[in-house]
Amino acid sequence: MSTSPTTTPTPTQPDAGWRQKHLLDVDALSLDEIQLVMRTTDAMKEVLSRPIAKVPALRGTNVTILFYEASTRTRVSFEVAAKNLSADVVNIAASTSSVTKGESLVDTIRTVEALGADMIVMRHGTSGAPYLAAEVFSGSILNGGDGWHAHPSQALLDLYTMRAHLGDVRGKKVVILGDILHSRVARSNLWSLTASGADLWLCAPSTLLRGFDAWAGRWAGGGAPGHAGFHVTSDVDAALRDADVVMALRLQRERMDAGLLPSLREYSARFGLTRERLAGARPDALVMHPGPMNEGVEIAPDVAILDRSVITEQVTNGVAVRMALLYLLAGGHPEAVTNA
Ligand code: CP
């Protein structure tokens, strides 16, 4: 099949209301900007439905994908998204780069820029690393996940997937169940979902909720204008009762100190998402998981494949959402937009 670019999507004005140079976390986005990402993703979905699912919006733009941690979904979907927009894509895995010889993050970013990068999608195990990169890079940094801190493109694709089924998420009960403490997905979802007015519940053993109680209290005291409050609980049944969405999270054992959990078996027995537990939610409640899943630990295998599970749809939507993000950020590079 030919891959010749066709025309650029038209349903949105790419730079209308968008004022970001980088995508570091969702907390920097206004509700208007979040909604612009959703509308632009609709346009990208239309592009992806065409026989030739490619547009020239980023022709001549170099997108470098720089990952210091393992990834399947985020890395591949950013690459597919950039190629669908006709960008030139360079992949760098830190494990096979000069990082192994002691090169610093700042040196790597300067080197990648000297090699022609206009946009860098990066994942790093240290919270805040993309912010440091943004200080030294003249183009745009897209955070593909940093430590425990943030995973903004995941939160936006999660929101897009919810909206595709529920319409507006305002007032909808969304439960995030699992290892909240170590989860950049939970933290970014917290911003996007509360900005969108969802009734958000975070549920985990108390050891995996440290700090979130105080955070919820500050917001309840008016600490987050424009954001709804959120609930924090270790009571799974209360959390799941009448839920519209249940998102399970992986136990991040690679980031976990010893002693936070008695055993995986006990965690699974008390907090795993099973059919029995899910029965407390609405009959049509969406089942979500950002992946990668540990089936049989945080989610039962038969729950992951229920008709109402949208886990693979989340992955599919990741391409369109990331096309939208690259496209909107390229609005800072007029030639990339006007040549489209
Ligand atoms: N959800 C997510 O970030 O998955 P990957 O680690 O496979 O990118």
Side-chain angles (χ1 to χ4, degrees):
M1 186 202 299
S2 164
T3 55
S4 305
T6 57
T7 54
T8 193
T10 49
T12 61
Q13 295 297 318
D15 55 352
W18 185 258
R19 55 186 172 78
Q20 307 295 325
K21 178 178 179 186
H22 307 287
L23 180 73
L24 300 175
D25 195 3
V26 195
D27 62 355
L29 303 184
S30 65
L31 183 57
D32 282 348
E33 287 174 307
I34 291 173
Q35 288 171 345
L36 179 59
V37 173
M38 300 294 114
R39 290 198 305 279
T40 309
T41 302
D42 286 338
M44 295 304 173
K45 293 284 276 191
E46 188 278 319
V47 167
L48 292 172
S49 72
R50 297 176 187 170
I52 299 172
K54 194 157 180 165
V55 289
L58 265 65
R59 182 181 286 160
T61 301
N62 179 307
V63 176
T64 295
I65 301 178
L66 174 63
F67 271 42
Y68 289 77
E69 276 192 344
S71 166
T72 304
R73 295 152 199 78
T74 312
R75 196 197 62 71
V76 174
S77 60
F78 263 119
E79 179 169 350
V80 172
K83 287 179 173 171
N84 288 345
L85 296 170
S86 305
D88 299 318
V89 180
V90 173
N91 268 290
I92 303 175
S95 57
T96 54
S97 74
S98 289
V99 169
T100 58
K101 302 175 193 166
E103 183 175 76
S104 71
L105 173 63
V106 166
D107 268 352
T108 301
I109 297 296
R110 288 190 175 131
T111 301
V112 167
E113 177 157 9
L115 290 168
D118 299 303
M119 307 173 97
I120 298 176
V121 181
M122 67 176 289
R123 171 171 288 190
H124 201 285
T126 302
S127 297
Y131 292 75
L132 176 60
E135 285 180 22
V136 296
F137 183 53
S138 67
S140 295
I141 298 284
L142 290 92
N143 182 2
D146 63 321
W148 304 5
H149 171 246
H151 196 346
S153 62
Q154 179 70 46
L156 292 164
L157 75 88
D158 292 338
L159 180 63
Y160 186 84
T161 305
M162 289 178 214
R163 287 167 53 118
H165 290 268
L166 304 174
D168 193 353
V169 300
R170 187 165 297 279
K172 299 286 197 261
K173 184 173 183 180
V174 179
V175 182
I176 304 182
L177 170 66
D179 183 357
I180 306 291
L181 180 66
H182 301 100
S183 177
R184 54 195 176 207
V185 174
R187 284 177 178 79
S188 285
N189 263 291
L190 198 158
W191 288 103
S192 48
L193 289 169
T194 57
S196 303
D199 175 22
L200 177 63
W201 291 61
L202 305 179
C203 182
S206 57
T207 48
L208 298 181
L209 282 171
R210 267 189 334 223
F212 281 85
D213 261 333
W215 189 348
R218 283 197 301 279
W219 282 29
H227 291 262
F230 62 97
H231 305 268
V232 175
T233 183
S234 296
D235 182 338
V236 187
D237 294 333
L240 294 188
R241 193 171 304 127
D242 298 325
D244 294 284
V245 178
V246 184
M247 182 190 300
L249 294 180
R250 182 173 70 89
L251 276 184
Q252 300 197 33
R253 281 174 280 173
E254 73 277 17
R255 302 190 204 277
M256 201 173 281
D257 294 332
L260 286 178
L261 292 175
S263 72
L264 278 188
R265 184 185 303 191
E266 186 169 335
Y267 175 84
S268 181
R270 292 193 52 210
F271 289 91
L273 184 59
T274 58
R275 277 181 187 258
E276 294 71 31
R277 291 216 166 90
L278 192 58
R282 290 173 58 88
D284 53 353
L286 300 179
V287 172
M288 302 181 73
H289 195 305
M293 286 189 282
N294 286 150
E295 292 180 64
V297 180
E298 73 270 6
I299 186 167
D302 60 344
V303 172
I305 57 166
L306 286 172
D307 282 348
R308 54 176 140 147
S309 165
V310 293
I311 294 169
T312 51
E313 200 177 315
Q314 288 172 267
V315 178
T316 303
N317 286 338
V319 173
V321 167
R322 288 167 175 133
M323 286 171 72
L325 292 168
L326 289 164
Y327 186 63
L328 289 168
L329 286 164
H333 305 275
E335 69 280 8
V337 176
T338 52
N339 289 342

